Amino acid sequence: MPIYWAFLTYMLLRPGVENKEYFFMFNGIDKVLHLNIFAALGFCFIAAFPKIRFSYFFQIMLIYAFLTEILQEEMKLGRSMETLDIVADTIGCLIGYYIYKVLAKRFL
């Protein structure tokens, strides 16, 4: 969990490069990526701390999403703060949370 969180922070804050040379690249792919990596983060976080209250989980994930977007803007490394990234991050965390809850109910 800490390794994934550190890797995610690095990937979100490293200098940005627009790369459209691959056939699967399209406008908005970064939102899809944000959603997926935050879904994995939400899943891992709730799996590591299954007894945490939903309100604490949501606050921690939302603060992390806001913090990474603010740092992207402030560090001036070719990245910018985008509100839709925060929305995608939040939705991804909720998806990860609910996937864990469904799987835990079924298998635990």
Side-chain angles (χ1 to χ4, degrees), residues 32-106:
V32 174
L33 294 173
H34 272 265
L35 189 125
N36 285 314
I37 61 178
F38 272 82
L41 178 64
F43 182 89
C44 291
F45 188 81
I46 197 64
F49 304 103
K51 304 248 187 249
I52 193 170
R53 290 175 44 192
F54 175 76
S55 61
Y56 294 150
F57 165 83
F58 189 71
Q59 288 173 14
I60 290 168
M61 293 293 111
L62 196 58
I63 289 169
Y64 181 69
F66 270 104
L67 190 63
T68 55
E69 289 301 315
I70 290 168
L71 287 173
Q72 284 178 1
E73 185 70 29
E74 293 299 316
M75 292 175 71
K76 308 264 190 258
L77 294 174
R79 298 222 157 196
S80 61
M81 181 176 176
E82 294 184 34
T83 305
L84 286 179
D85 283 348
I86 296 171
V87 171
D89 298 346
T90 304
I91 293 170
C93 289
L94 294 175
I95 289 171
Y97 177 88
Y98 287 112
I99 288 173
Y100 175 81
K101 288 299 183 179
V102 167
L103 292 176
K105 189 183 294 185
R106 180 171 276 198

